[in-house]
Amino acid sequence: MNEFGGNWTEKKIEILIEYAKAYLTIMNINASKYNWDLLYFDGFAGSGQIQGDEDKTTTITGAARRILEIEQPRGFDLYYFVEKEKKYADLLRNETIPFYPNKKVHVVNEDCNIKIESLSRFLSNKGKRFKALAYIDPCGMQLNWKSLQTLEKHSVDVWILVPTGMGVNRLLKNDGNISNAYSNKLEQFLGMSRQEIFSYFYKESQILTLFGEETIMTKEQNAIERSAELYKERLKSLFKFVSDPYILKNKMNSVMFHFFMASNNKNASRIANQIIKKYNNLNY
């Protein structure tokens, strides 16, 4: 099973499941009016089980299996689970397909970025027939911005876990001395140039030294919050509506991720914000 999870993982999955049930309820009401097929896409599906971090004996049922368990008011017409690690993909396949023989379940061992672009082509070719709910849940910065860009203007609601504390902030070194590898990763993840990233996260100032003036870079103190605000604005360049984030923290109360929903449907954003507000309030 995946060795990564805890209380915050469970809350994130509960938010997704609550939204999926609301989504399916609305789609079911409109079924007689619109002949839509519903697709669920999970870009980092894992093994189906997550080991809790409180102790090594507890397990958390992953989002893939939780989604498949939804029967009322209806399920999805097609389930597409992507997992890059072969051992996890094999475990997920064994934990899902045999137990849901009446559902169209696909488990593929592939990179999420490749399959997001495939999803975009699929939605383009099928026109308005398919409506999609996508869950993109990386543990780090594996999602490339250029892949996400391909979903622009499609009829897809996307839940995205953004590693603001776990990823972006860790690569932004305090003195601005970022390696080329880290810089390239930030550029791929944010879809921005190195200069744009530096201008947003750092302040440049001059100090006097024995050898004259020297330029120093100072990292913004609220870099995690700024990275969440930045990613939200970036999402708004692709989708008409982006929810407020659900903020995920670890046991030390440190921010790890921000969880957003992006859609071209205003009602979808309203429902997502209602759910997120409820769970954020539970944190206090």
Side-chain angles (χ1 to χ4, degrees):
M1 67 181 70
N2 295 80
E3 298 178 355
F4 188 69
N7 184 53
W8 55 269
T9 301
E10 292 181 276
K11 288 182 179 179
K12 172 193 61 179
I13 294 174
E14 290 302 327
I15 289 171
L16 172 71
I17 297 302
E18 189 166 335
Y19 181 83
K21 289 180 178 178
Y23 177 93
L24 290 167
T25 298
I26 293 171
M27 293 301 181
N28 191 57
I29 291 171
N30 292 315
S32 60
K33 185 177 180 181
Y34 304 102
N35 189 28
W36 290 324
D37 284 334
L38 304 182
L39 164 65
Y40 177 78
F41 176 94
D42 188 334
F44 295 87
S47 65
Q49 296 281 356
I50 304 165
Q51 184 171 276
D53 63 0
E54 299 298 329
D55 59 71
K56 300 300 182 181
T57 61
T58 60
T59 59
I60 301 167
T61 301
R65 291 180 61 186
R66 292 288 304 280
I67 285 287
L68 282 165
E69 289 170 359
I70 300 175
E71 298 286 354
Q72 299 297 330
R74 59 163 296 170
F76 289 88
D77 297 294
L78 180 63
Y79 301 83
Y80 201 85
F81 301 115
V82 182
E83 174 51 50
K84 188 175 182 179
E85 295 293 331
K86 186 179 185 303
K87 64 178 180 179
Y88 293 152
D90 290 342
L91 284 169
L92 182 62
R93 192 175 291 110
N94 293 334
E95 289 288 330
T96 54
I97 294 176
F99 297 98
Y100 301 93
N102 296 323
K103 295 190 176 184
K104 295 180 180 178
V105 179
H106 299 272
V107 179
V108 294
N109 175 213
E110 185 58 273
D111 182 274
C112 176
N113 293 291
I114 293 172
K115 287 305 176 182
I116 287 176
E117 295 177 23
S118 297
L119 171 63
S120 178
R121 290 192 296 271
F122 177 83
L123 293 174
S124 295
N125 294 335
K126 296 298 180 179
K128 295 183 178 180
R129 177 186 163 192
F130 274 87
K131 299 287 185 181
L133 173 60
Y135 179 51
I136 304 174
D137 175 39
C139 61
M141 298 173 66
Q142 297 93 335
L143 176 63
N144 294 335
W145 183 259
K146 69 175 185 178
S147 301
L148 194 59
Q149 272 183 306
T150 66
L151 296 180
E152 184 179 9
K153 298 179 180 178
H154 284 305
S155 185
V156 54
D157 295 354
V158 188
W159 282 91
I160 304 175
L161 189 70
V162 184
T164 48
M166 280 284 291
V168 177
N169 187 55
R170 290 185 177 184
L171 300 192
L172 296 168
K173 300 305 179 183
N174 290 334
D175 59 1
N177 187 21
I178 303 176
S179 69
N180 287 334
Y182 281 8
S183 178
N184 290 338
K185 176 56 68 176
L186 286 165
E187 290 175 45
Q188 289 175 356
F189 182 74
L190 295 170
M192 299 168 64
S193 69
R194 181 186 180 95
Q195 183 57 48
E196 288 172 326
I197 294 168
F198 268 75
S199 296
Y200 186 83
F201 286 105
Y202 292 90
K203 292 179 180 178
E204 189 176 280
S205 58
Q206 307 292 324
I207 61 170
L208 275 176
T209 71
L210 291 173
F211 305 101
E213 279 194 340
E214 184 177 314
T215 300
I216 62 168
M217 304 290 288
T218 305
K219 181 180 172 182
E220 295 281 1
Q221 291 185 351
N222 57 342
I224 294 177
E225 291 76 12
R226 285 179 64 81
S227 63
E229 292 168 3
L230 175 61
Y231 206 86
K232 183 173 183 178
E233 289 303 310
R234 299 291 291 141
L235 286 173
K236 285 181 177 179
S237 71
L238 304 181
F239 300 91
K240 293 180 181 178
F241 305 99
V242 180
S243 73
D244 295 327
Y246 174 66
I247 303 170
L248 292 88
K249 300 179 180 181
N250 62 16
K251 291 183 292 185
M252 305 302 293
N253 205 38
S254 298
V255 175
M256 301 173 68
F257 302 94
H258 284 72
F259 194 33
F260 293 96
M261 199 285 293
S263 175
N264 289 312
N265 184 290
K266 185 176 182 179
N267 193 44
S269 179
R270 178 185 62 80
I271 294 170
N273 275 325
Q274 290 175 346
I275 296 171
I276 287 168
K277 182 178 180 180
K278 181 179 79 172
Y279 279 86
N280 274 332
N281 288 340
L282 292 175
N283 288 335
Y284 296 101

Short mmCIF file of all heavy atoms in Angstrom, two decimals, residues 1 6 17 30-31 37 48 55 70 80 173 176 189 198 209 211 216 221 232-233 270 272:
data_model
loop_
_atom_site.label_atom_id
_atom_site.label_comp_id
_atom_site.label_asym_id
_atom_site.label_seq_id
_atom_site.Cartn_x
_atom_site.Cartn_y
_atom_site.Cartn_z
N MET A 1 0.84 -1.19 0.00
CA MET A 1 0.00 0.00 0.00
C MET A 1 0.88 1.25 0.00
O MET A 1 2.07 1.20 0.29
CB MET A 1 -0.92 0.00 1.22
CG MET A 1 -0.21 0.15 2.55
SD MET A 1 -1.36 0.11 3.95
CE MET A 1 -1.84 -1.62 3.91
N GLY A 6 -2.45 10.44 6.53
CA GLY A 6 -2.75 10.82 7.89
C GLY A 6 -4.11 11.46 7.95
O GLY A 6 -4.94 11.31 7.03
N ILE A 17 -15.15 13.09 -1.97
CA ILE A 17 -16.33 12.21 -2.02
C ILE A 17 -17.61 13.01 -1.85
O ILE A 17 -18.61 12.77 -2.56
CB ILE A 17 -16.22 11.11 -0.94
CG1 ILE A 17 -15.00 10.21 -1.20
CG2 ILE A 17 -17.50 10.29 -0.89
CD1 ILE A 17 -15.00 9.54 -2.56
N ASN A 30 -30.44 15.90 -14.15
CA ASN A 30 -30.46 16.39 -15.53
C ASN A 30 -30.35 15.28 -16.57
O ASN A 30 -30.26 15.56 -17.77
CB ASN A 30 -29.32 17.40 -15.74
CG ASN A 30 -29.55 18.68 -14.97
OD1 ASN A 30 -30.66 19.22 -14.97
ND2 ASN A 30 -28.52 19.16 -14.29
N ALA A 31 -30.36 14.01 -16.11
CA ALA A 31 -30.14 12.89 -17.03
C ALA A 31 -31.19 12.81 -18.13
O ALA A 31 -30.89 12.46 -19.28
CB ALA A 31 -30.09 11.59 -16.25
N ASP A 37 -22.52 11.18 -20.73
CA ASP A 37 -21.78 10.10 -20.10
C ASP A 37 -20.81 10.74 -19.12
O ASP A 37 -20.19 11.78 -19.43
CB ASP A 37 -21.02 9.28 -21.13
CG ASP A 37 -21.92 8.35 -21.92
OD1 ASP A 37 -22.98 7.97 -21.38
OD2 ASP A 37 -21.59 8.03 -23.07
N GLY A 48 -4.85 1.95 -3.76
CA GLY A 48 -6.18 1.69 -3.23
C GLY A 48 -6.23 1.72 -1.72
O GLY A 48 -7.29 1.87 -1.12
N ASP A 55 0.23 5.49 13.23
CA ASP A 55 0.90 4.25 13.56
C ASP A 55 0.93 3.40 12.29
O ASP A 55 0.32 3.74 11.29
CB ASP A 55 0.19 3.50 14.70
CG ASP A 55 -1.25 3.17 14.34
OD1 ASP A 55 -1.45 2.30 13.49
OD2 ASP A 55 -2.17 3.78 14.92
N ILE A 70 -19.56 4.57 -4.61
CA ILE A 70 -20.75 5.42 -4.73
C ILE A 70 -21.74 4.78 -5.71
O ILE A 70 -21.42 4.55 -6.87
CB ILE A 70 -20.38 6.84 -5.22
CG1 ILE A 70 -19.42 7.52 -4.23
CG2 ILE A 70 -21.64 7.69 -5.40
CD1 ILE A 70 -18.91 8.87 -4.71
N TYR A 80 -11.29 5.99 -14.84
CA TYR A 80 -9.96 5.89 -15.43
C TYR A 80 -8.93 6.26 -14.35
O TYR A 80 -8.82 7.41 -13.93
CB TYR A 80 -9.85 6.84 -16.62
CG TYR A 80 -8.76 6.48 -17.59
CD1 TYR A 80 -8.97 5.55 -18.61
CD2 TYR A 80 -7.50 7.07 -17.50
CE1 TYR A 80 -7.97 5.21 -19.51
CE2 TYR A 80 -6.49 6.74 -18.40
CZ TYR A 80 -6.73 5.82 -19.39
OH TYR A 80 -5.73 5.49 -20.28
N LYS A 173 14.84 28.58 -2.03
CA LYS A 173 15.84 28.78 -0.99
C LYS A 173 15.83 30.22 -0.49
O LYS A 173 15.58 31.16 -1.24
CB LYS A 173 17.23 28.42 -1.52
CG LYS A 173 17.34 26.97 -1.99
CD LYS A 173 16.93 26.01 -0.88
CE LYS A 173 17.01 24.55 -1.31
NZ LYS A 173 16.55 23.63 -0.26
N GLY A 176 17.83 32.75 -2.36
CA GLY A 176 17.62 32.82 -3.80
C GLY A 176 18.59 32.01 -4.61
O GLY A 176 18.55 32.02 -5.84
N PHE A 189 6.34 23.30 -13.14
CA PHE A 189 5.17 23.20 -12.28
C PHE A 189 4.27 24.43 -12.38
O PHE A 189 3.04 24.31 -12.43
CB PHE A 189 5.61 23.00 -10.83
CG PHE A 189 4.47 22.84 -9.86
CD1 PHE A 189 3.74 21.67 -9.83
CD2 PHE A 189 4.12 23.87 -9.00
CE1 PHE A 189 2.68 21.52 -8.93
CE2 PHE A 189 3.07 23.74 -8.12
CZ PHE A 189 2.34 22.56 -8.08
N PHE A 198 11.25 34.48 -9.70
CA PHE A 198 12.08 35.25 -8.77
C PHE A 198 11.44 36.59 -8.43
O PHE A 198 11.46 37.03 -7.28
CB PHE A 198 13.48 35.47 -9.37
CG PHE A 198 14.47 34.42 -8.97
CD1 PHE A 198 14.42 33.15 -9.53
CD2 PHE A 198 15.44 34.66 -8.02
CE1 PHE A 198 15.33 32.16 -9.17
CE2 PHE A 198 16.35 33.70 -7.64
CZ PHE A 198 16.30 32.43 -8.22
N THR A 209 29.21 46.90 1.14
CA THR A 209 30.24 46.03 1.69
C THR A 209 31.59 46.71 1.53
O THR A 209 31.69 47.82 0.97
CB THR A 209 30.26 44.68 0.95
OG1 THR A 209 30.78 44.89 -0.38
CG2 THR A 209 28.87 44.07 0.87
N PHE A 211 33.69 46.02 -0.47
CA PHE A 211 34.02 46.04 -1.89
C PHE A 211 32.98 46.79 -2.72
O PHE A 211 32.88 46.62 -3.93
CB PHE A 211 34.15 44.61 -2.41
CG PHE A 211 35.14 43.79 -1.61
CD1 PHE A 211 34.69 42.89 -0.65
CD2 PHE A 211 36.51 43.94 -1.80
CE1 PHE A 211 35.59 42.15 0.09
CE2 PHE A 211 37.41 43.20 -1.06
CZ PHE A 211 36.97 42.30 -0.10
N ILE A 216 21.55 41.62 -3.04
CA ILE A 216 21.15 40.41 -2.33
C ILE A 216 19.67 40.11 -2.62
O ILE A 216 18.89 41.01 -2.90
CB ILE A 216 21.37 40.51 -0.80
CG1 ILE A 216 20.51 41.63 -0.21
CG2 ILE A 216 22.83 40.69 -0.48
CD1 ILE A 216 20.47 41.61 1.31
N GLN A 221 8.54 36.43 3.24
CA GLN A 221 8.29 35.66 4.45
C GLN A 221 7.07 34.76 4.33
O GLN A 221 7.03 33.69 4.93
CB GLN A 221 8.13 36.62 5.64
CG GLN A 221 9.42 37.33 6.02
CD GLN A 221 9.27 38.18 7.26
OE1 GLN A 221 8.16 38.38 7.76
NE2 GLN A 221 10.38 38.70 7.76
N LYS A 232 -3.61 29.85 -7.65
CA LYS A 232 -5.03 30.13 -7.89
C LYS A 232 -5.19 31.06 -9.09
O LYS A 232 -6.07 30.85 -9.94
CB LYS A 232 -5.68 30.74 -6.65
CG LYS A 232 -7.17 30.99 -6.81
CD LYS A 232 -7.82 31.45 -5.51
CE LYS A 232 -9.33 31.62 -5.69
NZ LYS A 232 -9.99 32.01 -4.42
N GLU A 233 -4.36 32.08 -9.15
CA GLU A 233 -4.41 33.00 -10.29
C GLU A 233 -4.04 32.30 -11.60
O GLU A 233 -4.62 32.57 -12.64
CB GLU A 233 -3.49 34.20 -10.05
CG GLU A 233 -3.98 35.15 -8.98
CD GLU A 233 -5.38 35.68 -9.29
OE1 GLU A 233 -5.61 36.16 -10.43
OE2 GLU A 233 -6.25 35.59 -8.40
N ARG A 270 -19.50 27.04 -6.63
CA ARG A 270 -20.28 27.38 -5.44
C ARG A 270 -20.37 26.19 -4.50
O ARG A 270 -20.18 26.33 -3.28
CB ARG A 270 -21.69 27.84 -5.85
CG ARG A 270 -22.60 28.18 -4.68
CD ARG A 270 -24.00 28.52 -5.17
NE ARG A 270 -24.62 27.39 -5.86
CZ ARG A 270 -25.20 26.37 -5.24
NH1 ARG A 270 -25.21 26.31 -3.91
NH2 ARG A 270 -25.76 25.39 -5.93
N ALA A 272 -18.36 23.56 -4.36
CA ALA A 272 -17.02 23.27 -3.84
C ALA A 272 -16.67 24.21 -2.69
O ALA A 272 -16.13 23.77 -1.66
CB ALA A 272 -15.99 23.39 -4.96
#
